[in-house]
Amino acid sequence: MVVRTVAALLLVLAGPCAAAPAIVLPVEGRTLANGLRVLVHPDRSAPVVASYVFFRVGSRNEQVPRTGKAHLFEHMMFNGGKRFGPGVFDDLIEGSGGSTNGYTTRDLTAYVNAFPREALETVLALEADRMGFLAITPANLEQERGIVMEERRLRIDNDVGGTMYEQLYLHAYARSPYRWNPVGFMADLALITLEDARRFFTTYYAPNNAVLVLAGDLDPGDAFRRVERAFGGIRRQPAPPPVSAEEPAQEGERRIVVRRRAELPALLAGWKTVRATDPDRPALDVLAQLLAGGESARLVRDLVREHELVTTVDADLRWGIDPELFTLYAQARPGRRLEDILGRLDAVLARYAAEPVPPAELAVAKRQLRAEFVKGLKTVSGKANQLGFFECVFGSYEALFGLLEQWEAVSGEDVRRVAATYLAPAQRTLVLLEPLPASSTTAQGSR
């Protein structure tokens, strides 16, 4: 058993030189004989518990022409197992006053439950039943395939933002499995067979490919005993195959024009950067906050207020097991041209690449990042989610506790260096939205 009580840096609003108070987050971790990783965080502030089961499988573990299986299984996992039949999962948890959900990313799939502490035994039994004995039948496959196809239509095919982000990733990456959206391609979803589904489940839904996180009104010793009883008999499987995400160097800017029915033009830019564990990631986090993290951020001041070119602008660095994209999104004001917006965006980025950020501006961005981080740890569900995410994506939940210290160590010169290294115009992929009249239609590509 590993017991970890770590002082994580807490929100500080006083100024750049203020010492950061600490918040204690106790975590106990064990790995069962079958490989299931279990993390327990006791929090007695309310008689509730959150459970998260993370499987180390997302769309990065797929290949064309069988994309969409990871997200398909997010839905398949609610169809019952050996002990509990279809519909029982929702009925039992909601009947106890709890809630249940799931989500899929490029890196992982997570199953989320929030419930009164008295329901812990039931929830563990439900999770163990579907991990070990999920019902994968022709009827279940066809039912969930139809639901996922409809979700794709809603979130991508018939959604302007979804289309733009799909096109960005498809053109930014050449080889990485991050290319496709976790929902999968429509044609690929139609090709998934029952044998495909069963093989996928056996490979990726094994205890040695999973992390169970329990947070809330728990005694860790009792929780581990209950987990052992529920999950200990599930057999481990051979390790899943490794993923290759090596990308060729990008030789110049890539531009894609999306013509869709929309009210206003918009642009979405993306640069391939680094994986979550890379030493340059904290400086890129700070740069994203400096660019668009509040009313004082430079892109907000420049594009929204001073030049009145856009209605909104956002910057984001996604964290992934493999190198992810740094993205910038801007929606034009009526009558404004995308090329003018792009010119101002380039000017702001060029300034960051040319000179270090002033200390006062840097301090504001760090305070904003700290505030957002602490806000995500206010509930037992938020803490369980973060612990499991860091265990899967960063390699250890303990990386969570060094996050604020990493941001605090970022210098103005670090920001200048990563802006110059990663965000050059020649290294970006650019998606331009050109609105069509309301009466127009356009065909959608599949890949």
Side-chain angles (χ1 to χ4, degrees):
M1 185 202 315
V2 176
V3 180
R4 179 77 173 184
T5 303
V6 186
L9 295 178
L10 184 60
L11 167 64
V12 177
L13 298 175
C17 297
I23 185 170
V24 175
L25 187 60
V27 179
E28 297 191 23
R30 289 183 183 176
T31 301
L32 304 190
N34 61 8
L36 178 64
R37 180 68 170 151
V38 185
L39 304 177
V40 177
H41 163 58
D43 179 343
R44 304 296 177 80
S45 59
V48 295
V49 175
S51 77
Y52 278 67
V53 181
F54 291 83
F55 291 93
R56 301 176 191 269
V57 56
S59 55
R60 73 186 287 270
N61 301 98
E62 303 165 350
Q63 294 179 331
V64 174
R66 292 293 192 275
T67 63
K69 285 185 287 188
H71 180 241
L72 175 68
F73 263 91
E74 178 197 321
H75 294 260
M76 292 283 288
M77 285 288 280
F78 289 89
N79 281 311
K82 183 177 181 179
R83 180 178 173 187
F84 301 99
V88 174
F89 198 102
D90 288 344
D91 290 345
L92 285 177
I93 292 182
E94 292 173 5
S96 71
S99 62
T100 184
N101 210 334
Y103 66 86
T104 309
T105 73
R106 287 175 164 84
D107 293 319
L108 57 85
T109 308
Y111 298 91
V112 185
N113 305 302
F115 49 91
R117 63 187 176 192
E118 294 80 11
L120 176 61
E121 191 80 15
T122 299
V123 171
L124 293 177
L126 287 163
E127 289 289 4
D129 188 48
R130 64 179 177 179
M131 179 188 288
F133 308 101
L134 181 67
I136 305 175
T137 67
N140 290 343
L141 175 60
E142 292 311 314
Q143 172 183 291
E144 304 308 334
R145 189 202 315 270
I147 292 172
V148 171
M149 284 180 164
E150 184 57 32
E151 188 172 341
R152 180 185 164 92
R153 293 185 190 98
L154 179 67
R155 290 169 47 188
I156 299 178
D157 296 343
N158 298 325
D159 181 82
V160 175
T163 297
M164 292 180 70
Y165 272 93
E166 180 175 59
Q167 291 301 314
L168 175 67
Y169 274 81
L170 284 175
H171 289 84
Y173 290 105
R175 292 189 65 252
S176 171
Y178 279 2
R179 286 189 69 238
W180 48 84
N181 190 285
V183 78
F185 296 117
M186 191 70 82
D188 290 2
L189 291 169
L191 293 175
I192 298 172
T193 66
L194 193 64
E195 181 57 33
D196 290 333
R198 288 172 174 166
R199 185 165 52 248
F200 188 86
F201 180 79
T202 300
T203 302
Y204 294 105
Y205 276 74
N208 50 298
N209 201 47
V211 177
L212 168 62
V213 185
L214 297 173
D217 193 4
L218 298 159
D219 172 73
D222 176 67
F224 284 125
R225 287 189 291 272
R226 291 172 185 256
V227 170
E228 179 67 49
R229 287 199 300 268
F231 291 87
I234 303 175
R235 293 178 57 185
R236 69 185 301 142
Q237 298 293 335
V243 175
S244 174
E246 195 71 25
E247 276 287 308
Q250 186 165 331
E251 301 294 337
E253 182 189 73
R254 301 168 185 169
R255 287 200 180 199
I256 306 96
V257 176
V258 171
R259 296 182 176 87
R260 295 290 298 270
R261 288 164 53 179
E263 293 185 9
L264 296 167
L267 67 83
L268 176 64
W271 293 260
K272 292 186 289 292
T273 56
V274 298
R275 56 177 50 88
T277 55
D278 192 278
D280 281 346
R281 193 222 72 247
L284 287 163
D285 292 337
V286 173
L287 176 57
Q289 194 70 27
L290 286 163
L291 284 166
E295 291 301 311
S296 63
R298 287 193 194 179
L299 283 179
V300 177
R301 294 201 317 264
D302 191 291
L303 274 69
V304 178
R305 296 208 299 269
E306 294 176 12
H307 292 92
E308 298 184 340
L309 292 171
V310 307
T311 59
T312 184
V313 60
D314 296 302
D316 185 39
L317 173 68
R318 302 189 179 192
W319 295 348
I321 294 173
D322 302 319
E324 253 284 9
L325 294 186
F326 188 107
T327 61
L328 289 175
Y329 172 82
Q331 184 176 71
R333 287 182 182 270
R336 299 300 191 179
R337 297 172 62 248
L338 291 180
E339 288 300 328
D340 294 335
I341 297 169
L342 191 59
R344 292 308 313 159
L345 189 153
D346 284 343
V348 172
L349 290 177
R351 183 180 172 192
Y352 275 118
E355 56 190 49
V357 183
E361 185 180 358
L362 191 64
V364 170
K366 291 178 181 179
R367 288 197 296 269
Q368 291 169 339
L369 284 171
R370 290 197 294 267
E372 186 176 350
F373 171 78
V374 172
K375 183 178 179 181
L377 299 178
K378 289 175 64 176
T379 66
V380 292
S381 183
K383 287 184 282 188
N385 188 35
Q386 289 294 329
L387 289 168
F389 176 85
F390 273 77
E391 183 76 14
C392 292
V393 174
F394 284 73
S396 170
Y397 74 88
E398 294 174 319
L400 172 68
F401 305 119
L403 189 63
L404 297 183
E405 187 175 8
Q406 289 179 345
W407 288 334
E408 195 62 32
V410 172
S411 68
E413 173 56 26
D414 290 331
V415 173
R416 187 209 62 76
R417 178 179 53 79
V418 297
T421 301
Y422 298 105
L423 303 192
Q427 294 173 255
R428 75 178 165 213
T429 301
L430 188 62
V431 180
L432 303 175
L433 172 64
E434 295 183 358
L436 291 174
S439 60
S440 301
T441 58
T442 184
Q444 296 301 306
S446 60
R447 293 199 184 107

